Amino acid sequence: MSFSRLSSSLRLSVPKFPPFLLCFPSSSLQTRFIHNVDVDDAVSSFNRMLNMRPSPSIVQFNKILGSLVKNKHVHTAISLLQRLGFKGIEPDIFTFNIHINCLCQLRRMTLAFSVLAKIFRVGHQPDTVTFNTLMNGMCLNGNVRKAMHFHDKVVAQGFQMNQVSYGTLINGLCKVGETRAAIHLLRKIEAQSIEPNVVMYSTIIDSLCKDKLVTEASDFFVEMVFKKNIYPNVIIYSCLVYGFCLLDQVKKAVGLFNEMVLKRINPDAYTYSILVDALCKKGNLREAKNLLSVMIKDGVKPGVVIYSNLIDGYCLINEVKNARCVFNNMIRTGVTPNLHCYSIMINGLCKIKMVDEAMVLFEDMHCHGIAPDTVIYNYLIDGFCKLGRISYVWELIDEMEDRGQCANIITYNSLIDALFKNHRLNQAIALFNKVIDKGIHPSAYTYTILVDGLCKGGRVKDAQEIFQDLLINGYQLDVSTYSAMINGLCKEGLFDEALALWSKMEDNGCSPDVITFDIIIRALFERDDNGTAENLLHEMVDRGLL
C-alpha cells in the first residue's frame, strides 16, 4: 500500500496549518490509563521525566497524557504536550493519536488532519486507531458524510477498518437520524465478512426505538440473538424497554424487564428510571414505588432522576403529601435534589395552594447553592396570584430580575389575571401595556385573560374593541378567547351578537369546545329557548363532545 499516495491526497483537502501544535487526549489507544489521576502529581511526574537524562521512553509520557485526558484534564494535557515538543522529544504513533483525539474532541478537525499529515511526513504509519479517531471526530461535528467519504478513501488506499471503525460510522449515522443508512452499512459490512457486534446492533436498535419503530427494533433483536448468536446486554434491553414505553405499551416493557432479569442480565439505574417514569405517567404509583424498592434491594442506588419521576407522578395525581414524603426520604438517603426536582416539588405545592411550604423549599434551594430559574419563579408567582397575595408577587419579580432571571409572558399572565380577579382593572390594563412596551409578545392566553377580565369587570365594549382589532389584524384567536368574548356578550344580554360571533368563529376555522357550547346552551335556557338548546346538546353528541 502507498502511504505517500494517501498522504498526498489528504494534504490536498487540508489547508496550511500553523507549526505542529502538540495537544492532548487518548481514546481507545493501546495505553494503560491511570484512573482518578491526581493532576498535580501527574504534572510533577511529567516535569521530572522531562528533566531526566537519559530521557524516559515516550511510552511513559503517553501513559500520563492518556490518564489526564481520560479524566477530562484536557488543557493540562495540552500544556504538557507543548513542553514535550519544546524539549525535542519525538512522539510515537500513540502520542500522535492522543493529539488527534484531543483536537477531535475540541472540534478542531482541520488541525487534526494536519497531525495526520505530519505522521506521514515524519515517516510514521497511521494505524486503525488514527483513522477511527478522525472518523469519530467528523461524526461528533455532524459531518457524517465526510466521515463516510474519508472511510472510502482510506479503504481504497488499502488500509483495513475494524469493528470499531464501523461501529463509529453506524453511531454517527444514527445520531443524525440516518438510521436507514446505518442499516445499509451494517448489511454492507456483513457481505465483507466483518461480523457486526453488540455495539452496532444496540446503536441501531436504540435509533429505531427513538423513531418509535419498535417492531423493527424487536426484529433486529431477534436477528442478533438467534441468527448472530450475540448475547444481549443491559443497554439493548433498556433501549427496547424505552421504545415500548414511548409507545405507551408499558405491559410489554415490564415483560421485557422481567425477561432480562430471568436471563440474569442486571437492570441498571437507567433501565429502572425508564420504567418508573412510564409507570408514574400512567398513574401506577404503587407499582412504581414497588419497583424502586426492588431496585434498592438489588443494590442499584436510585439517583435524583428516579426520585424526581416518582415525585412528579404523585404530583400529577394531586398526592402532594406523598410526593413530599418521597422528597424527604430521598434527602435522608443522601441523594441531593437538583433544580428539576425542586421545580417539580414547588410546582406541586403551589397547585394545592401550599405556597408558604413552597417558599420554604425555595429558600432551601438558595442554602444549597442552587439558583432558581424563571420556571420556578413563575410557579411561585402563579401560586401567590391565585391566593390574591399580589404584594409578594412584585417582590418576587424584583428579586428574579435582580438575579438575572427575566420575567416572561407566563410571569405577566399570572399577574394580569390576578389583578383582574381582584378588581384592579386599571392596573391590569396598565401592566398589559407595560408588557407590550417591554417588547414581550402576548400569547393567546394573554388575550383570553384580557377579554375575560374586561367582560367580567363590566367593560364588555372595551373587550369587543380589543377582540375586533385582533381579528382585523389577522391574529389567530383560540377557542378560549372566543368563549370568553361570547360569555361576556351573553352576560351583558347581547345574545344576538354572541350568536353572530359563534358563527364567525366556525368560519374562522376555530371549532367551539365544551365550554363554548355550555355558555350558549345556558343562555338559551335562560331565554326559555329550550328547543334550540336541546338541538345544540344533540350537536355536541354528534361532535363527540358529550
Side-chain angles (χ1 to χ4, degrees):
M1 71 185 76
S2 173
F3 294 108
S4 59
R5 208 149 46 92
L6 177 60
S7 175
S8 301
S9 65
L10 289 171
R11 277 199 208 100
L12 293 175
S13 61
V14 178
K16 295 290 182 185
F17 321 100
F20 179 58
L21 172 65
L22 277 168
C23 225
F24 36 106
S26 73
S27 56
S28 54
L29 307 173
Q30 299 156 18
T31 54
R32 296 171 61 186
F33 293 114
I34 306 164
H35 295 282
N36 301 317
V37 66
D38 181 278
V39 182
D40 292 335
D41 286 348
V43 171
S44 296
S45 298
F46 196 91
N47 287 333
R48 279 197 302 271
M49 287 163 58
L50 282 176
N51 293 318
M52 288 171 66
R53 293 293 178 269
S55 178
S57 163
I58 189 64
V59 173
Q60 302 305 315
F61 291 104
N62 288 342
K63 285 180 181 180
I64 293 177
L65 293 169
S67 67
L68 285 168
V69 172
K70 188 176 178 78
N71 286 277
K72 310 299 181 186
H73 300 297
V74 172
H75 294 290
T76 304
I78 294 172
S79 174
L80 296 184
L81 277 161
Q82 288 174 332
R83 292 181 201 174
L84 196 68
F86 294 149
K87 287 287 186 177
I89 297 171
E90 287 296 321
D92 64 7
I93 188 60
F94 302 117
T95 321
F96 281 122
N97 285 345
I98 290 172
H99 186 189
I100 288 172
N101 185 38
C102 295
L103 292 169
C104 289
Q105 287 188 37
L106 289 180
R107 312 293 198 264
R108 302 292 297 276
M109 293 310 300
T110 300
L111 285 175
F113 274 99
S114 76
V115 178
L116 177 62
K118 184 174 178 70
I119 290 172
F120 287 113
R121 198 162 57 247
V122 298
H124 284 293
Q125 294 181 358
D127 59 13
T128 309
V129 173
T130 316
F131 297 127
N132 290 348
T133 306
L134 284 164
M135 288 190 295
N136 186 53
M138 285 182 271
C139 289
L140 286 173
N141 277 278
N143 296 322
V144 183
R145 287 297 162 192
K146 286 185 180 179
M148 294 289 289
H149 178 69
F150 176 74
H151 159 270
D152 294 344
K153 201 171 189 177
V154 168
V155 170
Q157 293 292 333
F159 289 94
Q160 296 297 313
M161 297 289 103
N162 60 14
Q163 286 180 320
V164 175
S165 316
Y166 292 108
T168 299
L169 291 173
I170 286 169
N171 183 58
L173 288 165
C174 288
K175 285 287 188 291
V176 294
E178 295 193 33
T179 313
R180 292 294 156 210
I183 293 169
H184 177 74
L185 181 58
L186 183 78
R187 298 307 180 209
K188 185 177 177 181
I189 66 170
E190 283 178 312
Q192 296 171 355
S193 300
I194 296 174
E195 282 298 318
N197 59 18
V198 69
V199 174
M200 298 179 202
Y201 272 104
S202 65
T203 304
I204 289 172
I205 287 169
D206 178 55
S207 191
L208 288 168
C209 286
K210 285 174 178 173
D211 291 338
K212 298 185 178 181
L213 300 170
V214 184
T215 302
E216 191 173 350
S218 299
D219 291 342
F220 264 90
F221 178 80
V222 171
E223 175 189 307
M224 181 191 81
V225 175
F226 296 103
K227 290 186 179 178
K228 300 294 183 181
N229 293 318
I230 299 171
Y231 198 71
N233 58 19
V234 65
I235 296 171
I236 288 182
Y237 270 108
S238 296
C239 292
L240 288 167
V241 167
Y242 175 78
F244 282 116
C245 289
L246 204 60
L247 295 180
D248 204 26
Q249 296 178 12
V250 181
K251 283 186 178 179
K252 287 187 178 180
V254 171
L256 262 180
F257 179 87
N258 292 332
E259 179 185 309
M260 68 184 289
V261 171
L262 287 172
K263 288 185 177 180
R264 300 187 182 279
I265 299 170
N266 296 324
D268 60 14
Y270 177 64
T271 324
Y272 280 108
S273 70
I274 295 165
L275 265 186
V276 168
D277 182 49
L279 289 167
C280 287
K281 284 174 179 172
K282 293 282 285 184
N284 299 330
L285 272 300
R286 181 178 293 178
E287 291 90 334
K289 198 171 181 181
N290 288 341
L291 189 60
L292 182 67
S293 299
V294 170
M295 178 184 182
I296 295 167
K297 187 179 177 182
D298 287 347
V300 182
K301 186 177 179 182
V304 67
V305 174
I306 289 183
Y307 280 113
S308 297
N309 290 338
L310 196 56
I311 291 164
D312 192 37
Y314 278 119
C315 288
L316 286 172
I317 59 172
N318 290 322
E319 293 186 12
V320 180
K321 287 185 179 178
N322 284 333
R324 189 64 194 265
C325 287
V326 174
F327 183 88
N328 293 336
N329 185 54
M330 174 186 74
I331 293 170
R332 279 196 295 271
T333 59
V335 178
T336 305
N338 60 12
L339 179 69
H340 180 60
C341 189
Y342 273 112
S343 181
I344 293 166
M345 198 66 247
I346 287 171
N347 184 37
L349 289 166
C350 288
K351 280 184 175 176
I352 60 167
K353 299 182 179 181
M354 295 177 68
V355 185
D356 292 322
E357 289 81 354
M359 281 299 294
V360 172
L361 282 185
F362 181 73
E363 295 301 330
D364 189 55
M365 286 181 68
H366 286 293
C367 292
H368 286 89
I370 301 173
D373 59 7
T374 302
V375 174
I376 288 180
Y377 276 107
N378 284 345
Y379 289 149
L380 289 166
I381 286 166
D382 190 58
F384 279 119
C385 283
K386 283 183 167 58
L387 292 175
R389 293 162 67 178
I390 296 173
S391 59
Y392 289 89
V393 173
W394 292 115
E395 290 176 17
L396 277 173
I397 289 176
D398 288 340
E399 180 187 317
M400 70 186 288
E401 292 186 340
D402 287 343
R403 292 178 178 271
Q405 299 290 337
C406 294
N408 57 23
I409 193 59
I410 296 170
T411 319
Y412 288 115
N413 281 347
S414 296
L415 187 48
I416 292 167
D417 188 44
L419 289 168
F420 273 122
K421 285 175 178 172
N422 284 274
H423 313 295
R424 301 184 189 178
L425 271 66
N426 291 333
Q427 278 184 269
I429 293 163
L431 182 57
F432 174 80
N433 290 328
K434 185 180 177 181
V435 168
I436 301 294
D437 292 340
K438 279 176 170 278
I440 299 172
H441 296 290
S443 64
Y445 182 53
T446 317
Y447 289 118
T448 301
I449 293 167
L450 191 61
V451 169
D452 189 53
L454 287 169
C455 287
K456 287 177 179 175
R459 293 168 63 170
V460 177
K461 291 297 179 187
D462 290 337
Q464 273 186 292
E465 187 179 329
I466 291 168
F467 193 91
Q468 290 304 321
D469 283 344
L470 290 169
L471 289 178
I472 290 165
N473 289 314
Y475 197 90
Q476 293 298 310
L477 300 174
D478 64 13
V479 65
S480 299
T481 316
Y482 275 104
S483 297
M485 191 68 251
I486 289 168
N487 187 51
L489 292 168
C490 288
K491 295 292 184 188
E492 195 71 9
L494 302 169
F495 187 70
D496 290 338
E497 290 184 46
L499 282 179
L501 187 55
W502 164 279
S503 300
K504 193 170 187 177
M505 72 181 289
E506 294 260 40
D507 294 339
N508 290 340
C510 183
S511 298
D513 62 5
V514 174
I515 294 170
T516 327
F517 271 102
D518 183 64
I519 292 164
I520 293 289
I521 289 168
R522 283 177 183 275
L524 286 166
F525 278 127
E526 285 173 8
R527 293 167 63 87
D528 293 325
D529 193 348
N530 297 345
T532 308
E534 287 173 8
N535 288 338
L536 284 179
L537 283 169
H538 290 305
E539 187 178 332
M540 286 181 75
V541 173
D542 292 340
R543 292 186 184 220
L545 296 174
L546 276 181

